[in-house]
Amino acid sequence: MQKRQKSRFLFSDRWLDRHSIVRNMEAFQDLIVIVLCLGLFAVMLIQLWGIAIALIQPLDYKHVTAKILFVLILVELFRLLMVYLQEHSISVGVAVEVTIVSLLREIVVHGALEMHWVNTLAICGLLFVLGGLLVVCAKTPHMDCMSANTKFCPIVYRGGRERQNELEFQYSRQCDENQPLG
């Protein structure tokens, strides 16, 4: 009895190929992320226009500072989406940076002296935990680096990536040769 290939579903039709489904879904996710990037860029331009208008009118420092910090948060979110497009994974370090800037924005907008002491204590605790997480992220090598096994990752590289690629190409050629025509 011949064992079915792991890359196929139970059906032998070509349109149920798991690799092509995953490739198409990744392309669709990339399209969604690109649309989100364009939307974020448009919101950043609108916010910059709002900052320019706010600087022309009588100056409200709290309002202008909140808008500037909001643009910085949008820039960090844009950077997070760019990292996702390049690596197809979310960068925890960038996400923590976005959260820290968002918390600091809330402190600036609402004023640290005007907050209840419990809220101030909770924000300080959260900032302490996020700072620790940021330090851990900076000291830990990226998981993509370790799984890629490239010479750019000093921990895992043993020069065996070429051999693994050759095995993958042989396997894909075997799968293509075993497929019925039509």
Side-chain angles (χ1 to χ4, degrees):
M1 178 184 269
Q2 188 177 12
K3 192 175 180 181
R4 76 175 172 88
Q5 298 170 358
K6 288 186 179 184
S7 65
R8 304 276 174 207
F9 288 112
L10 291 175
F11 305 106
S12 62
D13 293 334
R14 192 120 176 111
W15 62 276
L16 287 176
D17 180 24
R18 186 179 302 177
H19 295 293
S20 66
I21 291 172
V22 169
R23 193 171 40 250
N24 290 334
M25 292 300 281
E26 284 179 349
F28 187 67
Q29 285 178 334
D30 286 348
L31 181 66
I32 290 171
V33 171
I34 290 170
V35 169
L36 287 173
C37 286
L38 293 174
L40 270 176
F41 193 72
V43 171
M44 280 189 272
L45 289 177
I46 291 169
Q47 288 297 319
L48 287 174
W49 180 255
I51 290 172
I53 297 295
L55 289 175
I56 293 172
Q57 297 173 350
L59 201 55
D60 180 15
Y61 292 108
K62 196 179 220 182
H63 182 69
V64 172
T65 306
K67 281 186 173 280
I68 291 171
L69 287 173
F70 184 62
V71 170
L72 288 176
I73 291 168
L74 292 176
V75 167
E76 289 294 321
L77 286 173
F78 189 80
R79 198 173 109 206
L80 183 68
L81 290 174
M82 288 293 113
V83 168
Y84 178 78
L85 276 177
Q86 292 171 351
E87 299 179 12
H88 285 273
S89 66
I90 298 295
S91 172
V92 177
V94 177
V96 169
E97 290 173 5
V98 170
T99 309
I100 290 171
V101 173
S102 299
L103 279 172
L104 294 176
R105 178 189 180 271
E106 291 302 314
I107 291 172
V108 168
V109 169
H110 297 296
L113 298 176
E114 298 171 6
M115 283 192 224
H116 194 264
W117 69 272
V118 175
N119 291 346
T120 306
L121 189 63
I123 289 175
C124 287
L126 185 57
L127 283 172
F128 182 73
V129 168
L130 289 172
L133 186 59
L134 195 59
V135 168
V136 168
C137 286
K139 298 289 182 186
T140 306
H142 198 270
M143 292 304 294
D144 285 344
C145 170
M146 293 188 320
S147 65
N149 193 17
T150 62
K151 61 183 173 185
F152 301 112
C153 183
I155 294 175
V156 184
Y157 180 69
R158 290 181 293 275
R161 185 69 180 164
E162 292 82 16
R163 176 78 177 132
Q164 183 179 355
N165 282 342
E166 181 60 32
L167 290 175
E168 287 173 4
F169 290 135
Q170 285 177 355
Y171 177 75
S172 66
R173 273 187 253 134
Q174 276 181 335
C175 289
D176 291 339
E177 289 171 0
N178 291 337
Q179 293 304 317
L181 297 174

